[in-house]
């Protein structure tokens, strides 16, 4: 873990699986201004470039806490291997990274940061992914993307090397939105499921209540004659809020105008196309029904409208009020307490959005001018994350063998860990930043079996193979090059050109018996015959008794004819019976 | 109901809620709860009542609800799960021991109580710390519990009037036993002061006793009512000034009677509420420091009544406010039981805030607007 362990703000996870090294996400910590905002790549290697130490990098979605450090990693630390992400992520990432770079370098004057060219060079290394399509990274490593919901293009990733697999969720949500579906994955049974758990200890307020709050605030402002500014990113949330307002305006028969800024349409149409191929049938229908930005009550904005008297609502880009049209409008409207600005998402440090969300009421603008912020500032969070219930739902879907929770606080997740361990009987880990977790897997090793051995096993009865009744068998495993073969011991010896050793045991049992040797032998024969029914017992003319293949002989001492010595001899295969016989005979013979 | 019809009805209710409520939060628990108990001004405990293993949860209410200045800058609308634990059986009753981190539960079937430590900042696990033995061995239902408002950790508990006792949690010692002639199943146990308590029986009798005194309790018979086999529920105001402590009794046929604590036998006022069926999870509750009574458990609606409208003569009354959120949000498949409220509580300090839970696992936090202040609508008209 080089980030996202018990830390909200930066995701960067290193996984070693089947000899392959994979980096999952490469995020920036938005709370720090120094090098702490970057993941610590010395965990990969102390010696500069990462190319030789990583097989691939996978980015789950375009949020900066998941991809913000990517150009730094690939161009300043150094990585030339493949970077995987979905098509929409590939389209949107560079825009956000460039915006972020501008704010950090141009506005805040930082120097140790990536350049525009670095962003471009980084994106050249990107290999785009489609949903549910298996991609071979190399001979042994394959990956597959699944729909994660959360934001446009967000994916959960299934990674497989040999018979071991990992699923990384990135950010996801299990309850559908108006414009995004819920995450979905099949019963892929990964060895580890790595899930974000920022909201694992929350129970999310319903989407409808959030929307209600939004409508209430907008309505209250409009009623008192105020103007409402909603800074947005071009697609996704903006569309959803537009649909919401349109429906509300229609029902309440409201007359105040609603506008969207022109910058939105071009970007929107571009992303619209991406969006349509990306989302599922149900979501697609919503957009096909209503043509993008063809609303009854919502019209295109012209900058001169900002000075019009009376109430109005305007959607304008960019989303953090750091430049462009939304900032221009904000400057005009900030001085009137009847007005309102609704921030529908997180704002990066250094932006006006971030400042006003922290309660700042006096802002320093260009040329030392100050702006008094008198309008009402509302922060609303519409982002969709999985809460406690959502995580349990995902585990039920994927059926992992082990669980790994990242992006949360360990002391506050013991209960969730207990819940998971109890309901699913799987281990749950919660590593901290810099901590390594080793998870034992039970990989199944496929082995060829010789026909002879198979026939022999089948003769013992029962169908083969029976997945419900694993069977143990005797054999010899031959590993030649990369093949594994199970054969019978005889065949193995033959192939190796070795002779099989024969092992024979001999046992001497003293016995007192006042008869002749041959009479004693006969007595032994009768005794064993009555005791061991069902066994082949023979009294042979050469003066031995045979029990199966065990040989019994009698001899007597020269000094004392009654002191008999019984000699038992058996081979290794008859060990059990031989031991039994010797213990029986040690007890002596029954009286005549 | 058609999907679009359901969505339309839900949208309609949400539009109405814009003026009917100041704040509204809707949550979905994994499993429904029958209990909501305040453990502080911002936290509550809930617990499942399924047949096998259940979860106990301590939840913190959304911060946005409490933000006074700069409310707009607070985006936190979610419940925060502070502590969680597992119970081997269902939880039918849950009480917090004041000035401690202990809660006491009963499974709704036997009379033994389980004692739990909610835990502090260092861990989020609720741990079982002990058991309190009950007197009854085969009760008709589980024990009711009341936590003593005094500074030492003591709980009053019992399933029937003849088996109520006060137990000290730390020592396990029985400090007091209620002795009654008959054994009536209880619907409530409640302290009205440090040592005085009411035992509300389901047949409508109320026993009032003082735990410091071994004298026989005062018994108040059920109010005269048409339904002989009616079941009664009781609640007393939690007003520290004993002088104005009132008691309300509600029957399963909808007859509600308000009395003064000092004269339980006399009705101060009464009313006929529009209630049809009986239920196991009825809650009748006084609003803190107000003359409002809230009722739930008969349907998917929580109703608030203004007792100032009630008279000595029995008359039908309509609720001042109805919270229909659970009923409207629950999309039941055909043939299934409609959703029913399992519990509701008033916030101890915020006068308009309530929490309610239902059989579908939903939990609502709502801050309702007095119908008067909404405009020309009169108080006797329900707002929805």
């Amino acid at each position: 873990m080089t980030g996202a362990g018990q830390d909200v703000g930066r995701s960067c996870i290193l996984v070693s699986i089947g000899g392959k090294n994979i980096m999952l996400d490469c995020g920036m910590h938005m709370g720090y201004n120094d090098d702490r905002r970057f993941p610590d790549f010395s965990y990969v290697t102390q010696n500069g470039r990462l190319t030789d130490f990583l097989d691939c990098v996978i980015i789950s979605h375009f949020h900066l806490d998941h991809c913000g450090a990517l150009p730094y990693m690939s161009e300043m630390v150094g990585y030339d291997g493949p970077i995987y992400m979905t098509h929409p992520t590939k389209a949107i990432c560079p825009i956000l990274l460039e915006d972020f770079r501008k704010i950090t370098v141009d506005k805040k004057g930082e120097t140790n940061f990536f350049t525009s060219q670095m962003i471009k060079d980084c994106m050249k290394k990107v290999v785009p992914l489609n949903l549910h399509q298996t991609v071979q990274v190399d001979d042994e490593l394959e990956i597959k993307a699944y729909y994660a919901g959360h934001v446009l293009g967000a994916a959960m990733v299934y990674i497989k090397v040999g018979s071991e697999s990992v699923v990384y969720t990135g950010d996801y949500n299990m309850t559908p939105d108006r414009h995004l579906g819920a995450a979905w994955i099949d019963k892929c049974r990964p060895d580890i499921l790595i899930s974000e758990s920022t909201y694992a200890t929350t129970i999310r307020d319903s989407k409808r209540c959030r929307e209600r709050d939004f409508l209430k605030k907008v309505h209250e402002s409009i009623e008192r004659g105020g103007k409402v500014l909603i800074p947005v990113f071009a697609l996704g949330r903006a569309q959803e809020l537009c649909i919401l307002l349109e429906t509300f305006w229609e029902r309440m028969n409201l007359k105040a105008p609603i506008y969207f800024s022109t910058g939105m349409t071009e970007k929107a149409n571009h992303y619209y196309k991406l969006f349509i191929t990306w989302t599922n049938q149900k979501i697609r229908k919503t957009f096909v029904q209503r043509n993008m930005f063809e609303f009854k009550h919502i019209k295109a904005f012209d900058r001169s409208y900002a000075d019009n008297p009376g109430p109005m609502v305007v959607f304008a880009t960019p989303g953090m009020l750091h430049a462009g049209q939304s900032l221009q409008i904000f400057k005009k409207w900030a001085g009137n307490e009847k007005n309102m600005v609704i921030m529908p998402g997180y704002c990066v440090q250094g932006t006006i959005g971030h400042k006003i969300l922290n309660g700042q009421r006096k802002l320093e603008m260009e040329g030392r001018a100050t702006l008094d912020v008198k309008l009402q500032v509302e922060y609303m969070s519409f982002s969709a994350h999985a809460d406690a219930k959502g995580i349990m739902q995902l585990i039920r879907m994927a059926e992992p063998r082990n669980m790994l929770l990242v992006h949360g606080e360990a002391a506050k997740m013991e209960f969730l860990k207990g819940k998971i361990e109890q309901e699913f009987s799987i281990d749950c880990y919660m590593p901290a930043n810099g901590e390594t977790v080793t998870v034992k897997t039970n990989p199944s090793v496929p082995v060829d079996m010789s026909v002879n051995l198979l026939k022999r096993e089948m003769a013992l009865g029962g169908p083969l193979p029976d997945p419900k009744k694993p069977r143990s068998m005797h054999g010899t495993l031959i590993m030649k090059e990369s093949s594994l073969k199970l054969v019978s011991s005889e065949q193995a010896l033959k192939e190796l050109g070795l002779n099989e050793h024969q092992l024979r045991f001999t046992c001497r049992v003293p016995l007192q018996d006042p008869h002749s040797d041959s009479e004693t032998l006969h007595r032994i024969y009768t005794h064993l015959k009555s005791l061991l029914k069902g066994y082949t017992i023979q009294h042979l003319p050469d003066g031995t008794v045979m029990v199966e293949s065990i040989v019994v002989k009698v001899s007597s001492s020269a000094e004392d004819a009654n002191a008999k010595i019984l000699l038992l001899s058996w081979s290794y295969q008859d060990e059990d019976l031989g031991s039994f016989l010797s213990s029986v005979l040690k007890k002596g013979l029954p009286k005549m | 109901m058609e999907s679009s019809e359901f969505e339309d009805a839900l949208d309609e209710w949400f539009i109405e809620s814009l003026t009917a409520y100041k704040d509204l939060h809707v949550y979905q628990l994994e499993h429904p709860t029958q209990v909501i108990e305040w453990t502080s001004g911002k936290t509550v405990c809930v617990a499942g009542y399924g047949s096998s293993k259940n979860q106990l949860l301590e939840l913190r209410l959304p911060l946005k609800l409490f933000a006074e200045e700069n409310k707009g800058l607070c985006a936190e609308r979610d419940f925060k799960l502070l502590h969680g634990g597992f119970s081997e059986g269902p939880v039918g009753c849950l009480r917090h021991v004041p000035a401690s981190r202990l809660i006491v539960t009963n499974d709704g079937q036997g009379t033994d109580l389980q004692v739990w430590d909610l835990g502090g900042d260092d861990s989020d696990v609720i741990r079982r710390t002990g058991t309190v033995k009950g007197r009854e061995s085969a009760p008709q239902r589980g024990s009711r519990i009341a936590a003593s408002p005094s500074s030492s950790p003591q709980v009053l508990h019992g399933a029937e009037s003849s088996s109520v006792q006060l137990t000290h949690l730390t020592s396990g010692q029985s400090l007091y036993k209620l002795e009654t002639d008959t054994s009536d199943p209880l619907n409530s146990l409640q302290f009205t002061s440090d040592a005085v308590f009411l035992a509300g029986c389901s047949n409508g009798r109320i026993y009032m006793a003082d735990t410091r005194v071994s004298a026989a309790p005062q018994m108040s018979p059920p109010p005269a009512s048409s339904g002989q086999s009616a079941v009664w529920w009781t609640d007393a105001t939690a007003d520290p000034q004993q002088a104005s402590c009132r008691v309300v009794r509600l029957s399963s046929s909808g007859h509600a009677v308000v009395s003064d604590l000092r004269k339980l036998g006399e009705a101060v006022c009464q009313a006929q509420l529009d209630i049809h069926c009986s239920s196991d999870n009825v809650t009748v509750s006084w609003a803190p420091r107000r003359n409002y009574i809230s009722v739930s458990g008969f349907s998917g609606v929580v109703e608030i009544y203004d007792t100032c409208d009630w008279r000595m003569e029995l008359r039908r009354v309509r609720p001042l406010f109805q919270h229909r959120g659970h009923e409207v949000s629950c999309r039941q498949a055909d043939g299934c039981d409609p959703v029913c409220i399992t519990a509701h509580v008033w916030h101890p300090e915020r006068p308009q805030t309530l929490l309610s839970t239902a059989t579908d696992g939903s939990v609502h936090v709502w801050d309702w607007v007095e119908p008067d202040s909404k405009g020309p609508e009169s108080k006797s008209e329900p707002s929805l």
Side-chain angles (χ1 to χ4, degrees):
Chain A
M1 305 280 309
T2 63
Q6 298 172 27
D7 207 10
V8 182
R10 184 218 300 117
S11 281
C12 186
I13 301 167
L14 295 172
V15 173
S16 277
I17 169 176
K20 304 286 172 187
N21 291 337
I22 300 146
M23 181 181 285
L24 300 170
D25 280 339
C26 192
M28 184 78 85
H29 195 304
M30 313 310 281
Y32 294 123
N33 284 324
D34 50 28
D35 284 352
R36 282 175 301 174
R37 61 183 159 194
F38 299 120
D40 186 352
F41 297 114
S42 67
Y43 283 107
V44 182
T45 173
Q46 306 270 1
N47 306 314
R49 298 192 75 82
L50 308 175
T51 315
D52 293 336
F53 299 90
L54 290 175
D55 293 280
C56 71
V57 173
I58 304 175
I59 302 292
S60 62
H61 63 288
F62 62 66
H63 277 157
L64 291 171
D65 56 340
H66 289 258
C67 74
L70 189 63
Y72 171 81
M73 191 270 299
S74 71
E75 307 311 306
M76 292 169 82
V77 178
Y79 170 74
D80 300 312
I83 301 173
Y84 291 95
M85 58 180 77
T86 61
H87 286 275
T89 310
K90 183 180 175 191
I92 299 170
C93 246
I95 300 169
L96 287 186
L97 287 168
E98 179 54 31
D99 258 0
F100 179 44
R101 188 208 66 77
K102 262 198 242 166
I103 295 167
T104 312
V105 175
D106 300 347
K107 287 211 180 295
K108 288 163 74 188
E110 300 221 11
T111 47
N112 185 30
F113 215 75
F114 48 83
T115 62
S116 293
Q117 187 57 42
M118 285 181 187
I119 297 172
K120 295 193 177 93
D121 293 338
C122 171
M123 297 311 288
K124 287 185 193 139
K125 299 171 184 170
V126 169
V127 179
L129 294 171
N130 288 316
L131 282 180
H132 306 164
Q133 209 178 51
T134 303
V135 169
Q136 293 289 142
V137 176
D138 61 37
D139 292 344
E140 292 153 308
L141 170 61
E142 61 182 55
I143 62 177
K144 184 154 76 164
Y146 288 91
Y147 189 78
H150 186 57
V151 290
L152 174 58
M156 306 191 290
V157 176
Y158 172 77
I159 300 154
K160 188 159 149 175
V161 180
S163 60
E164 294 178 303
S165 57
V166 166
V167 167
Y168 171 59
T169 64
D171 288 347
Y172 65 104
N173 63 281
M174 300 301 289
T175 44
D177 232 279
R178 273 182 207 267
H179 76 290
L180 288 171
W184 180 86
I185 195 166
D186 48 22
K187 243 190 241 309
C188 51
R189 299 211 171 102
D191 289 294
I192 311 176
L193 173 61
I194 303 176
S195 167
E196 71 130 297
S197 53
T198 320
Y199 293 88
T201 51
T202 64
I203 300 177
R204 299 280 281 168
D205 190 12
S206 72
K207 170 196 71 181
R208 270 209 160 82
C209 278
R210 289 170 206 275
E211 291 174 349
R212 175 193 173 270
D213 205 28
F214 171 71
L215 290 176
K216 195 164 165 28
K217 291 288 178 309
V218 171
H219 192 219
E220 279 167 5
S221 295
I222 297 296
E223 291 276 276
R224 63 171 181 242
K227 297 172 165 57
V228 182
L229 170 65
I230 308 171
V232 283
F233 184 67
L235 196 79
R237 208 61 63 198
Q239 180 72 356
E240 194 164 326
L241 298 177
C242 281
I243 297 173
L244 200 55
L245 277 189
E246 168 100 339
T247 319
F248 185 58
W249 248 240
E250 187 71 26
R251 187 186 241 113
M252 305 291 281
N253 201 20
L254 297 173
K255 302 292 175 213
I258 311 176
Y259 301 110
F260 57 84
S261 69
T262 41
M264 277 169 74
T265 26
E266 302 146 20
K267 286 193 187 122
N269 283 324
H270 172 55
Y271 299 129
Y272 175 62
K273 292 195 188 93
L274 270 175
F275 199 42
I276 282 305
T277 51
W278 176 255
T279 59
N280 59 31
Q281 199 55 34
K282 182 177 166 213
I283 311 295
R284 217 173 289 175
K285 252 174 57 177
T286 318
F287 286 90
V288 169
Q289 269 169 24
R290 53 179 336 112
N291 210 330
M292 196 66 177
F293 291 104
E294 234 179 60
F295 291 106
K296 192 168 151 194
H297 300 278
I298 310 182
K299 304 286 167 223
F301 187 67
D302 182 274
R303 69 164 77 172
S304 63
Y305 299 172
D307 298 317
N308 287 359
M312 72 174 81
V313 181
V314 177
F315 289 91
T317 57
M320 299 185 238
L321 284 181
H322 54 281
Q325 189 155 69
S326 60
L327 183 58
Q328 267 178 33
I329 300 169
F330 177 77
K331 285 190 210 168
K332 282 188 196 249
W333 295 357
N336 189 337
E337 61 256 346
K338 277 202 248 175
N339 295 341
M340 180 184 282
V341 63
I342 299 180
M343 308 297 299
Y346 176 79
C347 293
V348 162
Q349 239 190 47
T351 56
I352 303 265
H354 190 262
K355 292 183 180 144
I356 59 173
L357 285 181
N358 276 315
Q360 220 172 308
R361 301 303 275 180
K362 260 188 166 46
L363 298 170
E364 240 192 57
M365 313 298 287
E366 301 92 53
R368 301 252 200 102
T370 48
L371 182 66
D372 273 328
V373 179
K374 294 204 181 128
L375 85 178
Q376 207 172 318
V377 179
E378 290 285 333
Y379 184 19
M380 295 195 186
S381 163
F382 289 98
S383 75
H385 281 266
D387 62 3
K389 192 167 109 162
I391 293 179
M392 303 301 276
Q393 280 174 309
L394 186 73
I395 300 176
R396 245 168 249 133
M397 257 189 197
E399 291 191 8
R401 290 171 226 272
N402 294 280
M403 196 61 206
L404 201 99
L405 296 172
V406 299
H407 234 166
E409 305 163 58
K412 308 291 162 87
M413 296 198 298
E414 217 192 306
F415 173 62
L416 176 64
K417 179 166 138 71
K419 227 166 55 146
I420 292 171
E421 283 171 350
Q422 245 185 58
E423 184 168 335
F424 302 109
S425 301
I426 60 176
D427 284 329
C428 181
Y429 302 89
M430 298 177 308
N433 233 353
E435 201 183 310
T436 307
V437 169
T438 309
V439 177
K440 283 195 163 53
T441 58
N442 252 344
S444 46
V445 183
V447 164
D448 289 328
M449 190 155 100
S450 77
V451 178
N452 284 332
L453 192 60
L454 184 65
K455 279 191 186 158
R456 188 197 292 182
E457 286 299 318
M458 282 175 79
L460 293 172
L464 276 176
D466 185 354
K468 294 207 168 87
K469 285 190 210 153
R471 216 146 81 177
S472 46
M473 50 177 74
H474 280 141
T476 307
L477 184 69
I478 301 182
M479 291 162 71
K480 212 187 220 176
E481 278 131 39
S482 57
S483 77
L484 296 166
K485 203 161 98 165
L486 194 68
V487 299
S488 64
S489 312
E490 300 85 11
Q491 189 174 338
L493 286 164
K494 203 163 116 186
E495 286 197 26
L496 291 167
L498 293 173
N499 288 323
E500 188 174 357
H501 286 95
Q502 291 293 325
L503 217 62
R504 272 200 96 77
F505 295 96
T506 332
C507 180
R508 296 160 73 91
V509 180
L511 189 73
Q512 284 291 336
D513 197 74
H515 299 94
S516 70
D517 285 358
S518 57
E519 280 168 343
T520 309
L521 192 65
H522 188 77
R523 280 189 67 202
I524 290 169
Y525 170 70
T526 328
H527 175 52
L528 291 180
K529 201 112 175 127
S530 68
L531 212 59
L532 295 169
K533 298 188 167 60
Y535 283 85
T536 314
I537 306 178
Q538 298 166 289
H539 189 168
L540 296 176
D542 66 355
T544 63
V545 164
M546 289 278 285
V547 180
E548 299 290 332
S549 62
I550 300 170
V551 180
V552 184
K553 275 190 196 156
V554 176
S555 62
S556 50
S557 124
E559 297 84 27
D560 180 5
N562 291 348
K564 310 287 181 193
I565 306 282
L566 303 182
L567 262 161
L568 281 84
S569 172
W570 61 86
S571 67
Y572 171 69
Q573 280 81 359
D574 295 320
E575 162 63 17
D576 286 339
L577 187 56
S579 308
F580 178 67
L581 271 184
S582 70
S583 59
V584 160
L585 291 173
K586 275 178 184 147
K587 290 185 192 149
L589 293 171
K591 297 276 184 255
M592 292 275 274
Chain B
M1 198 193 249
E2 279 287 325
S3 162
S4 52
E5 268 177 52
F6 168 76
E7 297 285 331
D8 284 347
L10 189 53
D11 280 342
E12 194 64 49
W13 183 76
F14 266 96
I15 300 281
E16 285 167 8
S17 80
L18 290 177
T19 43
Y21 302 84
K22 190 165 138 259
D23 284 313
L24 179 65
H25 297 263
V26 167
Y27 304 95
Q28 190 63 38
L29 296 176
E30 283 179 82
H31 309 283
T33 179
Q34 277 176 356
V35 298
I36 318 173
E37 174 80 348
W38 293 101
T39 54
S40 81
K42 292 190 175 148
T43 55
V44 288
C45 260
V46 295
Y49 56 94
S51 50
S52 59
K53 233 176 171 120
N54 287 280
Q55 294 174 25
L56 293 113
L57 307 173
E58 187 188 26
L59 306 171
R60 191 198 63 205
L61 267 60
L63 291 178
K64 197 172 174 83
L65 192 66
F66 302 102
E68 294 303 332
E69 307 164 9
N70 291 334
K71 195 171 174 113
L73 300 183
C74 181
E76 286 256 18
R77 298 189 61 91
D78 304 330
F79 266 153
K80 182 94 177 123
L81 174 60
L82 295 178
H83 298 92
F86 295 99
S87 162
E88 288 305 315
V91 175
C93 189
L94 191 156
R95 288 281 171 250
H96 173 237
V97 179
S100 81
R101 289 295 289 157
L102 299 176
I103 55 167
V104 180
T105 62
N106 171 267
D107 64 5
Q109 291 153 4
T111 54
D112 287 349
L113 307 182
Q114 299 79 39
V115 186
W116 310 79
D117 186 342
L118 290 171
D121 287 332
D122 52 343
S123 155
D124 73 332
V125 177
I126 300 176
R127 291 177 215 281
R128 176 88 179 266
T129 56
T131 309
V132 172
K133 283 265 166 228
R135 275 161 86 183
E136 197 70 32
S137 52
Q140 285 179 38
R141 58 175 298 179
S143 286
R144 301 282 93 198
I145 312 170
S148 164
S150 71
S151 50
S152 71
Q154 301 166 4
V155 286
L156 192 68
H157 58 107
E160 286 163 11
S161 57
S162 54
S163 57
V164 172
Q165 62 177 345
L166 181 71
T167 306
H168 192 279
L169 282 182
T170 330
S171 66
Q173 213 189 340
S174 174
L175 304 169
Y176 166 88
K177 286 187 165 75
L178 178 67
E179 303 294 348
T180 59
D181 295 329
T182 51
S183 189
D184 306 309
L186 293 180
N187 261 344
S188 63
L189 272 178
Q190 188 178 4
F191 276 97
T192 55
S193 73
D194 269 11
V196 177
F197 69 90
L198 295 181
C201 308
S202 52
N203 58 15
R205 279 200 189 127
I206 298 182
Y207 288 96
M208 186 161 87
D210 187 321
T211 57
R212 298 164 298 194
V213 173
S214 56
Q218 287 177 45
M219 192 276 282
S220 170
S225 181
S226 45
Q228 281 299 86
S229 54
V231 178
W232 290 86
W233 297 273
T234 308
D235 189 45
T237 56
D239 212 309
Q241 300 156 309
Q242 181 94 18
S244 57
C245 181
R246 282 153 300 142
V247 175
V248 64
R249 270 182 277 194
L250 174 68
S251 82
S252 49
S253 58
H255 184 194
V257 180
V258 175
S259 317
D260 188 293
L261 182 70
R262 296 161 296 174
K263 282 191 191 163
L264 282 176
E266 281 174 35
V268 164
C269 62
Q270 58 182 332
Q272 180 62 45
L273 310 186
D274 198 11
I275 283 159
H276 306 291
C277 57
S278 185
S279 160
D280 281 338
N281 281 316
V282 171
T283 309
V284 59
S285 175
W286 283 100
R289 289 178 252 112
R290 313 272 282 301
N291 288 322
Y292 297 158
I293 285 174
S294 55
V295 176
S296 77
F298 299 100
S299 68
V301 179
V302 180
E303 299 185 325
I304 299 175
Y305 294 88
D306 185 353
T307 60
C308 291
D309 284 347
W310 298 10
R311 310 265 184 278
M312 283 299 292
E313 322 80 55
L314 187 61
R315 291 181 315 150
R316 288 197 167 275
V317 291
R318 296 168 88 181
L320 172 65
F321 187 87
Q322 286 181 310
H323 175 66
R324 292 176 46 241
H326 296 273
E327 184 184 69
V328 167
S329 317
C330 183
R331 193 198 192 137
Q332 296 288 61
D334 292 323
C336 281
D337 292 329
V339 74
C340 198
I341 305 289
T342 51
H344 78 268
V345 287
W346 290 81
H347 191 283
E349 262 99 56
R350 297 169 57 91
Q352 300 296 112
T353 307
L354 288 97
L355 261 80
S356 52
T357 65
T359 47
D360 63 349
S362 55
V363 180
H364 293 189
V365 182
W366 37 288
D367 211 292
W368 61 290
V369 173
E370 297 264 358
D372 250 355
S373 50
K374 273 159 56 185
E377 292 163 12
S378 68
K379 237 202 291 194
S380 57
E381 290 287 313
S383 54
L384 291 164

